[in-house]
Amino acid sequence: MYARTSRKSVAGTVALGLAAALAGAVAAPGIAVADTGDRTQTTACESLWVNDKYGVTHARLRNCTVTWGKNIYDGSYWQTVRFELLDAATDKVCAKSNTIASPSGRSASASECNGVWTPKTANFYGRATNFFICIGYGTNFPPYGNEYTNETPPAGF
């Protein structure tokens, strides 16, 4: 003979089952997202300008950032340096920039000759302890103005 289960017992069992299912759904994420291990942090660097000995500005740099990247799984490092460069005196002498990664010594040069703010990007791979960014004009890298900056990484990069 079959034992008859009371309605209260069935309702209690169903309620417990629903509560367990809801608790599991809340505790576990809905869709798993793979973590690539990439971590980045962006720092701002100062604006630069270069004058001639008479005080005329020939080269300018603004909106400078360094994005420091690393991968916590494979240990790789990378950096992206971005800024805008301007040939402030359109005198047929171009504004120039040079970005040097330390300790590798790898560098990236850029120029602008048209009197228009122009975005520049340099990508570096490997761990860097700092970046030396300088600007000048023509073949001159004169000591007039704020012509260089030294950017160091944030903690952990």
Side-chain angles (χ1 to χ4, degrees), residues 23-49:
V26 169
I31 298 174
V33 176
D35 180 4
T36 64
D38 288 349
R39 305 293 186 263
T40 60
Q41 189 168 344
T42 300
T43 59
C45 25
E46 60 186 300
S47 297
L48 305 175
W49 67 92

Side-chain angles (χ1 to χ4, degrees), residues 30-83:
I31 298 174
V33 176
D35 180 4
T36 64
D38 288 349
R39 305 293 186 263
T40 60
Q41 189 168 344
T42 300
T43 59
C45 25
E46 60 186 300
S47 297
L48 305 175
W49 67 92
V50 173
N51 301 337
D52 63 20
K53 64 183 177 180
Y54 304 108
V56 176
T57 302
H58 287 267
R60 297 188 65 152
L61 181 145
R62 71 176 183 189
N63 297 330
C64 179
T65 62
V66 180
T67 299
W68 307 86
K70 69 178 180 179
N71 185 286
I72 61 171
Y73 298 138
D74 67 15
S76 61
Y77 287 83
W78 66 93
Q79 303 82 33
T80 301
V81 180
R82 289 185 177 91
F83 55 81

Side-chain angles (χ1 to χ4, degrees), residues 86-144:
L86 173 71
D87 176 21
T90 53
D91 53 3
K92 299 187 184 188
V93 178
C94 298
K96 299 188 178 213
S97 68
N98 196 19
T99 304
I100 305 166
S102 184
S104 71
R106 291 186 200 105
S107 65
S109 297
S111 64
E112 198 286 307
C113 303
N114 300 316
V116 176
W117 285 107
T118 306
K120 304 293 181 182
T121 301
N123 295 303
F124 296 89
Y125 300 93
R127 193 165 194 176
T129 58
N130 66 296
F131 281 95
F132 181 73
I133 304 166
C134 61
I135 62 170
Y137 64 97
T139 57
N140 302 305
F141 278 82
Y144 305 108

